[in-house]
Amino acid sequence: MAECDAEVLVSLAESLHIYPGLLTVATVCGGLSGILAAALLCLFCLRPLLPTRPGYSARLLDPDDGDVDNNQSDCVSDGKKEAPNGNSNDKEKKQPPLNSDVAAFASRAKVVYPINQKYRPLADGASNPSLHEHPKLPAITNEESSSSIDEESLSHEQDNDDSSQFISSSLVPKSLQNQSFNRVSHYPQILTQSGFEGRISLYCLALQDVQNQFSQLQEEKCVIFLQMLKTVFNCRFPKDKNDAHFAKNVIEMQEKELNELRKQFPPNQTVDEKNLDAPCTLEEIERTQKDLIERGLQMSKHFSKQVEDLCQHLLRKNSVFSSDEAQNLIITLTQMLVSVEKHLIKVQEVELKRIQQKLLWWEELMGLLQSQPVLLRQEVALRQSLISTTLEQLTSDDNLKFSHMENILSEIQAILSEGLQRGAEECTRKTNELVNERCSKKESKRKKLQRSQAKEKNRALNLSQTRSDLQELTEVYHKLLMKHRQQISDLELQQDSRVAESLCDLWMKHRSFWSKRLGELAKDVFLTSVTAQTNLSSEHCARLWFDLEEEMAAQLHQAECTTRQQIEEIRTELDKDGQVWSEGIALGQACLAHLGEQQMKILRAMLAKQTYTLNSQLGNLIEKKHEHLLATVQRYFVVRHFCLHMLKEMRLSKLKVLSQTDFRALLIEDLHKNQPGINSTFKNSSGSLAGRHLGPEIQLLGNTFQQEFLSELETGTELLQSHAQLVLGNALSNAMQQMMKTLPSKSQTSAKSDNGLKSHLMEAAAESVYLTKDSLTVLVQSYYSQLQDITKKLQQDQAGTNQEGREKSDSSTQLDRVLQRELMNWAKKPASAEFQQRVELHKRKMLEQCDVDQEKIYEKLKQRKVAQDQTVEKVKGQLLEAEEQFITQLAFLARISIHSPQLESSDEEDNAGDQSTPVLDLLALNPALDPALNPSLTPTVVAPMKKSKPKKERKQESNFN
């Protein structure tokens, strides 16, 4: 055995020996193989799957995703973040390439502008990066997340749709934009609506008030116009006169045209009670307001054309009116219309101010009344918190089990929530009943007052026909209507104050009643449950409740103080909004005043060029007619500017309501609690999201509405221009007709006085033996030389005038060249503020110089007109002098007396025989004396326009030879 053991000895050291070099090589090769396999797997397997998630990739690349995801990391799961977005991808692919290119350019250039607008204002967004963010709603559920992303993917497509011509691409998510709402017919009814609907309905009612005032003022103007016509024609044509039927026909024709005008452009009616339940959108409201301004402009255009047609009709009736009488009547009517329009502007300004104050008053009242249910909710929440703290203290002292504490808290919470809900329903029901009752009484009183006012107005119109002074007529009627408006305003203010007092009493009593009742319910449950579940005595439990009530009273007092402070802040904020609104109104009025100055300046420039045809009286009349339409257009655009501000506030209503940080935010939370499918993530982020979007949206809406206002203002300018052309054309036509009537009579008188002398001289010279060919040739050459001298001098004067005009034009282009050079320099460095200031400076200089040049040109034209008239008279005198000298020399050579007593009888016979017989046609009798046929007679070219008179002389000489 020992031998066998020695022979079978096995050594294990060699088999367990490790070689480090071989192990390192194997490890490196294995790692490289794994990396290569992973790369091939990503390349051929995972890469084809990446394009299926474009929505998620876009979200990762969005610069705003980091902030949103960080804020929501605790409440949003990874599965929700990776939800598929196939619908969003398909809809994004359907967007037109033009809009995507423009949007991409805007994003790179950091500018925002409405794509589909005719005017595209650029706003530098470098200092406000929020303008370029693409906000997204926080994830709620899988279904809600996908639906919200679908809404955002369609935002640009919906905003760029042609159907939405009022608001261009908005940056606000669809969930934060205003949806449809139900309108109301009375102001107190807005208190029955919750959320942003109450604010939108408030502004909608204010728009209706503006529309009603607008229609009433237009109707007032039409009535006064008819009364002025009746007064003028009744005084000018009493019923017993022959031309009374003419006045009657004119008045009937004007009434008919005004009725047709009312039918063609009817005012929008107020909201019907049957249509209150039908939902309404802001697009419908904006379209209605746009139609209102368009109808107003068209009606003003047709009314002005009607007045102009009446003026032309009066001027054509020469059998009824003389030219001066018709002109004086037209001037009187035009001046009165201008006076009426100025009065309407003042009335409209007062009414708009009243509507603005009324709107802000109701908005303040909404905040004041909303504080009562908020305080009740705070009291309930505070009571629950204190009860929970007390029960937790009992549980920590081992006087109450934890399960019993949860049961007691659940029971108290259920009772308080149920009582709070029943109290809210009861308050809403009583509020609706009170509001409907007071509104019906208010409407009945209003209709009764309007009926009595209509009777008083008819009596005043009947009495006004006995007055002959138009100024007195308009003043009396205006005072009556102002009294009626004040009566309506006082009635509305009185009724609104009563409704507000009643509602305040109702809501305060409601809060006091339910506060006491909910406290008693909570006390009964607390005392009963705590006494039954613990070993504490009833006196100890009552003492606990008493301490709880004292603590709650102290904290509730602090909450009330905070609420009162927030109400004061709301009032301050509304006062600030009203001040900003008033500043905007003043700015709009300044813009319209500048428009009026420019229009009148252009019209005066046009009239300055027509001074040779229109006298100063006609020029003043044209200015008055244009001023009448200009004042009307300005009044319409003041209303439009006012309404655009309210439309902007309606667009911002939901953002402003969601971004509220005072006690009204609790109402928003309670509203979200009643809506299923909305979790705490949305409630917590909606306020901050709305606050973040509020500033950029205000800027975007302001720019959009401003461009819309300027575009509509351009339409009004075109209307004014067409009316000015019509009025000026009619005035020029009438002036030319008057000139054509007067000129023929003067020319006929002068022609008759000369025809007798020339006929007698022609006959006598033809029979004279003293007139030879040579003497007649010398006489004709001398006459032609005088005519050529006169013609050359006139041409030289005209050439000098034209050269002066060209020099003036060349000098006026120097500033234009400097401005172009500065613009080129600014284009090289567009961010340079210095170049921009220099360009603005040169622009102002050029505009000022243009105004100065225009004034100089008008003055130069007047001087040139005077010089031309003087030149024409001078040339006429020289031509007549040359003709008289020629006739005198011809009579001297022929030894003929030009003062024969038989001239008059012979002239009458010749004129009676043939008015077209040529006078002194001597050249026709002897063609050889015509310089055109015999160039040797004169060395120069004879003007064709001066051949007629020398020809007559030569024809007579041919008869002598």
Side-chain angles (χ1 to χ4, degrees):
M1 290 298 293
E3 295 178 355
C4 292
D5 293 337
E7 293 177 357
V8 184
L9 181 64
V10 178
S11 180
L12 298 177
E14 185 178 358
S15 62
L16 295 175
H17 183 70
I18 298 174
Y19 296 94
L22 294 177
L23 182 62
T24 302
V25 173
T27 303
V28 172
C29 292
L32 294 176
S33 300
I35 293 173
L36 180 61
L40 293 175
L41 182 64
C42 292
L43 179 63
F44 295 102
C45 297
L46 297 180
R47 185 175 180 180
L49 299 178
L50 291 178
T52 61
R53 300 173 181 263
Y56 181 64
S57 301
R59 291 169 63 94
L60 291 177
L61 294 175
D62 195 355
D64 190 43
D65 287 344
D67 298 336
V68 176
D69 292 338
N70 291 335
N71 294 333
Q72 301 172 4
S73 59
D74 297 335
C75 57
V76 182
S77 63
D78 296 337
K80 294 177 183 178
K81 291 181 181 179
E82 296 178 356
N85 193 17
N87 297 333
S88 177
N89 183 29
D90 297 338
K91 295 177 181 179
E92 287 176 359
K93 290 181 179 179
K94 294 180 181 179
Q95 292 181 356
L98 177 61
N99 291 349
S100 62
D101 294 341
V102 175
F105 168 76
S107 179
R108 290 194 302 270
K110 293 185 177 181
V111 295
V112 177
Y113 56 88
I115 294 176
N116 282 343
Q117 289 289 333
K118 178 180 178 182
Y119 301 94
R120 300 182 177 181
L122 298 181
D124 187 7
S127 61
N128 193 358
S130 62
L131 291 175
H132 320 295
E133 297 174 357
H134 300 279
K136 289 172 286 299
L137 289 175
I140 303 171
T141 60
N142 290 334
E143 294 81 2
E144 293 171 0
S145 176
S146 61
S147 63
S148 63
I149 295 174
D150 292 340
E151 289 178 354
E152 292 169 17
S153 65
L154 289 174
S155 61
H156 289 290
E157 182 177 351
Q158 292 175 353
D159 291 330
N160 294 334
D161 190 6
D162 292 337
S163 63
S164 180
Q165 57 180 339
F166 305 101
I167 300 298
S168 59
S169 54
S170 176
L171 302 176
V172 180
K174 293 297 181 181
S175 63
L176 298 182
Q177 296 183 12
N178 303 316
Q179 305 299 326
S180 60
F181 64 98
N182 294 327
R183 291 185 291 185
V184 296
S185 57
H186 300 284
Y187 280 93
Q189 293 176 348
I190 63 175
L191 302 175
T192 62
Q193 294 181 332
S194 59
F196 68 95
E197 289 188 358
R199 192 171 189 271
I200 294 182
S201 299
L202 173 61
Y203 279 87
C204 189
L205 286 173
L207 285 175
Q208 292 179 14
D209 286 349
V210 173
Q211 174 184 333
N212 293 334
Q213 292 296 332
F214 182 83
S215 303
Q216 291 176 7
L217 294 180
Q218 185 63 32
E219 182 64 23
E220 178 180 345
K221 180 179 178 180
C222 294
V223 172
I224 293 178
F225 174 67
L226 287 177
Q227 287 302 122
M228 287 193 301
L229 286 181
K230 291 179 181 179
T231 302
V232 170
F233 284 111
N234 288 337
C235 296
R236 178 67 173 78
F237 305 106
K239 295 182 179 180
D240 55 349
K241 277 203 170 185
N242 297 328
D243 296 329
H245 66 281
F246 168 76
K248 182 179 179 181
N249 294 335
V250 169
I251 294 175
E252 291 178 353
M253 180 181 65
Q254 296 301 313
E255 290 180 347
K256 181 180 178 181
E257 291 182 359
L258 285 177
N259 291 331
E260 293 177 354
L261 197 60
R262 294 188 185 100
K263 294 179 182 178
Q264 187 177 359
F265 304 102
N268 283 343
Q269 302 297 326
T270 57
V271 182
D272 191 2
E273 296 290 342
K274 298 180 181 179
N275 298 328
L276 291 178
D277 296 334
C280 177
T281 61
L282 289 181
E283 285 76 11
E284 296 176 2
I285 301 297
E286 291 167 356
R287 191 175 297 109
T288 300
Q289 295 300 317
K290 192 174 184 65
D291 293 340
L292 176 64
I293 185 63
E294 290 178 356
R295 283 199 308 271
L297 291 177
Q298 291 298 322
M299 187 170 185
S300 64
K301 175 183 176 182
H302 286 75
F303 181 80
S304 298
K305 188 177 182 300
Q306 177 181 345
V307 174
E308 180 64 19
D309 293 340
L310 174 62
C311 296
Q312 298 302 316
H313 180 67
L314 296 178
L315 289 173
R316 287 192 296 266
K317 287 296 180 178
N318 297 327
S319 59
V320 181
F321 292 104
S322 64
S323 178
D324 294 338
E325 289 178 347
Q327 199 72 19
N328 293 332
L329 178 59
I330 293 172
I331 292 174
T332 302
L333 289 176
T334 305
Q335 289 178 347
M336 293 308 303
L337 285 176
V338 172
S339 176
V340 169
E341 192 61 44
K342 290 181 178 180
H343 174 77
L344 294 181
I345 290 176
K346 295 180 181 179
V347 172
Q348 179 178 273
E349 184 178 356
V350 173
E351 291 298 319
L352 291 181
K353 187 66 175 178
R354 182 185 63 82
I355 293 174
Q356 177 189 1
Q357 294 176 352
K358 183 178 181 180
L359 187 147
L360 296 176
W361 183 80
W362 276 104
E363 193 167 0
E364 179 183 349
L365 181 62
M366 287 175 60
L368 179 62
L369 293 180
Q370 287 173 356
S371 64
Q372 299 301 314
V374 168
L375 287 173
L376 182 60
R377 291 181 177 88
Q378 289 179 346
E379 181 180 349
V380 170
L382 181 60
R383 190 182 299 277
Q384 291 180 0
S385 176
L386 292 176
I387 291 175
S388 176
T389 302
T390 303
L391 294 178
E392 289 176 356
Q393 183 65 34
L394 292 176
T395 303
S396 63
D397 295 340
D398 295 332
N399 292 326
L400 183 66
K401 294 182 179 181
F402 183 77
S403 59
H404 294 164
M405 181 193 71
E406 287 184 340
N407 294 333
I408 295 173
L409 287 177
S410 299
E411 184 178 0
I412 292 176
Q413 183 177 2
I415 291 176
L416 292 179
S417 299
E418 182 181 359
L420 192 62
Q421 182 68 23
R422 285 191 286 109
E425 293 176 355
E426 180 183 352
C427 181
T428 302
R429 179 179 54 81
K430 290 184 178 180
T431 301
N432 287 329
E433 292 176 356
L434 177 61
V435 166
N436 293 332
E437 178 186 0
R438 294 300 177 90
C439 288
S440 61
K441 292 182 179 179
K442 173 185 174 181
E443 191 63 23
S444 62
K445 291 181 179 180
R446 180 187 179 92
K447 290 181 179 179
K448 181 179 179 180
L449 180 60
Q450 287 178 345
R451 286 194 296 268
S452 63
Q453 289 178 353
K455 294 179 181 179
E456 186 177 3
K457 187 186 300 182
N458 292 330
R459 289 194 300 268
L461 292 177
N462 294 330
L463 292 175
S464 64
Q465 297 180 3
T466 59
R467 296 186 177 90
S468 59
D469 188 4
L470 294 182
Q471 187 69 30
E472 181 183 0
L473 168 67
T474 55
E475 288 180 358
V476 171
Y477 192 70
H478 285 324
K479 289 180 180 179
L480 177 64
L481 295 182
M482 289 178 64
K483 184 182 75 172
H484 290 174
R485 279 189 287 266
Q486 188 63 38
Q487 290 176 352
I488 295 293
S489 177
D490 293 342
L491 175 64
E492 292 180 351
L493 181 60
Q494 180 184 8
Q495 296 299 319
D496 291 344
S497 299
R498 291 180 179 178
V499 171
E501 292 177 0
S502 301
L503 288 175
C504 288
D505 294 339
L506 174 64
W507 287 33
M508 292 179 67
K509 290 179 181 179
H510 164 78
R511 176 199 164 197
S512 177
F513 172 77
W514 282 98
S515 174
K516 182 178 180 181
R517 184 171 181 179
L518 293 176
E520 292 175 354
L521 291 175
K523 179 180 180 181
D524 293 341
V525 174
F526 179 83
L527 294 179
T528 302
S529 300
V530 172
T531 303
Q533 301 296 335
T534 62
N535 297 325
L536 300 177
S537 62
S538 58
E539 290 80 5
H540 184 71
C541 293
R543 189 165 55 253
L544 290 176
W545 183 260
F546 180 76
D547 295 339
L548 186 148
E549 288 287 346
E550 287 185 346
E551 180 66 21
M552 191 186 70
Q555 295 188 16
L556 187 61
H557 177 71
Q558 181 65 28
E560 290 178 350
C561 294
T562 303
T563 303
R564 283 194 295 268
Q565 183 179 0
Q566 291 176 350
I567 290 176
E568 292 298 328
E569 293 176 356
I570 292 174
R571 290 172 179 170
T572 304
E573 182 180 357
L574 289 176
D575 292 339
K576 183 179 179 181
D577 292 342
Q579 182 179 1
V580 173
W581 193 353
S582 300
E583 291 176 357
I585 293 175
L587 183 61
Q589 291 178 349
C591 175
L592 293 174
H594 177 70
L595 171 67
E597 293 176 358
Q598 293 296 323
Q599 287 293 315
M600 296 305 297
K601 186 176 182 180
I602 293 173
L603 181 64
R604 293 189 181 101
M606 294 171 60
L607 293 175
K609 298 177 182 179
Q610 306 296 334
T611 53
Y612 62 91
T613 305
L614 303 177
N615 54 29
S616 60
Q617 186 180 15
L618 283 176
N620 294 332
L621 177 60
I622 294 174
E623 289 185 11
K624 285 295 182 181
K625 290 181 179 180
H626 194 65
E627 183 182 357
H628 165 242
L629 181 59
L630 178 61
T632 305
V633 171
Q634 288 176 332
R635 179 166 60 88
Y636 288 174
F637 277 107
V638 167
V639 173
R640 179 58 175 167
H641 190 273
F642 189 86
C643 293
L644 283 177
H645 180 85
M646 288 194 288
L647 292 175
K648 184 182 75 172
E649 291 296 324
M650 293 172 71
R651 281 282 177 183
L652 297 172
S653 291
K654 193 167 187 178
L655 282 177
K656 286 192 172 183
V657 170
L658 291 176
S659 61
Q660 291 169 352
T661 58
D662 50 23
F663 62 87
R664 294 173 292 180
L666 296 177
L667 298 177
I668 307 299
E669 295 180 1
D670 293 337
L671 183 62
H672 290 328
K673 289 179 182 178
N674 298 328
Q675 297 179 0
I678 298 181
N679 60 5
S680 59
T681 303
F682 179 78
K683 292 185 291 183
N684 294 332
S685 62
S686 60
S688 61
L689 189 63
R692 187 180 65 184
H693 283 287
L694 182 59
E697 190 69 7
I698 290 176
Q699 182 180 2
L700 178 61
L701 288 176
N703 293 335
T704 303
F705 281 125
Q706 182 181 9
Q707 294 302 321
E708 183 176 355
F709 179 75
L710 294 177
S711 177
E712 293 169 349
L713 201 60
E714 183 179 359
T715 303
T717 304
E718 294 175 358
L719 185 147
L720 291 170
Q721 181 180 358
S722 63
H723 178 263
Q725 293 173 354
L726 173 65
V727 175
L728 184 59
N730 289 336
L732 290 174
S733 177
N734 293 330
M736 293 304 296
Q737 289 178 3
Q738 294 295 328
M739 292 176 62
M740 295 299 294
K741 290 179 181 179
T742 56
L743 287 177
S745 60
K746 295 181 179 180
S747 60
Q748 289 177 1
T749 303
S750 60
K752 289 180 180 180
S753 61
D754 294 340
N755 285 339
L757 175 62
K758 294 178 180 178
S759 298
H760 170 71
L761 183 60
M762 183 181 63
E763 294 177 357
E767 296 176 356
S768 177
V769 296
Y770 300 102
L771 188 62
T772 63
K773 179 179 179 180
D774 295 336
S775 61
L776 185 58
T777 301
V778 174
L779 184 59
V780 170
Q781 289 179 351
S782 176
Y783 181 60
Y784 265 90
S785 298
Q786 292 180 0
L787 295 181
Q788 288 177 353
D789 293 340
I790 296 172
T791 304
K792 289 180 180 179
K793 187 175 181 181
L794 181 60
Q795 292 176 352
Q796 291 176 358
D797 294 340
Q798 291 178 351
T801 303
N802 295 334
Q803 181 66 25
E804 182 182 357
R806 286 194 294 269
E807 292 175 356
K808 184 68 176 180
S809 176
D810 293 339
S811 62
S812 62
T813 57
Q814 295 298 325
L815 285 174
D816 185 29
R817 295 174 184 173
V818 175
L819 179 59
Q820 294 295 332
R821 184 170 62 254
E822 294 296 337
L823 287 173
M824 293 176 62
N825 295 334
W826 189 27
K828 297 177 182 178
K829 294 182 179 180
S832 175
E834 180 182 358
F835 282 116
Q836 182 181 2
Q837 293 176 358
R838 290 171 62 179
V839 168
E840 293 295 334
L841 177 62
H842 284 287
K843 282 172 60 178
R844 288 194 296 268
K845 287 183 178 180
M846 185 173 180
L847 291 175
E848 293 174 358
Q849 187 62 34
C850 286
D851 294 337
V852 174
D853 291 342
Q854 287 292 331
E855 295 295 334
K856 290 182 178 179
I857 289 173
Y858 299 150
E859 187 66 27
K860 194 68 178 179
L861 285 175
K862 293 179 181 179
Q863 296 177 0
R864 185 181 299 179
K865 177 61 175 57
V866 174
Q868 286 180 353
D869 292 341
Q870 294 176 355
T871 303
V872 169
E873 294 297 329
K874 182 179 179 181
V875 170
K876 286 182 179 180
Q878 291 176 353
L879 292 176
L880 290 176
E881 183 180 358
E883 183 180 1
E884 291 176 358
Q885 185 178 2
F886 175 75
I887 292 174
T888 303
Q889 292 178 358
L890 179 61
F892 177 75
L893 291 176
R895 298 183 182 181
I896 302 170
S897 175
I898 59 177
H899 301 289
S900 176
Q902 300 178 354
L903 286 179
E904 296 181 0
S905 61
S906 63
D907 292 341
E908 292 177 357
E909 293 176 358
D910 292 340
N911 292 335
D914 187 7
Q915 294 292 338
S916 62
T917 302
V919 181
L920 287 179
D921 199 2
L922 299 180
L923 296 180
L925 299 178
N926 192 353
L929 296 177
D930 191 351
L933 300 178
N934 190 359
S936 62
L937 295 178
T938 175
T940 58
V941 179
V942 180
M945 58 181 297
K946 303 299 182 180
K947 288 181 180 180
S948 57
K949 295 182 180 179
K951 269 186 170 182
K952 300 176 185 179
E953 310 295 340
R954 298 184 181 182
K955 289 182 181 179
Q956 288 185 356
E957 185 180 2
S958 64
N959 293 331
F960 301 152
N961 296 332

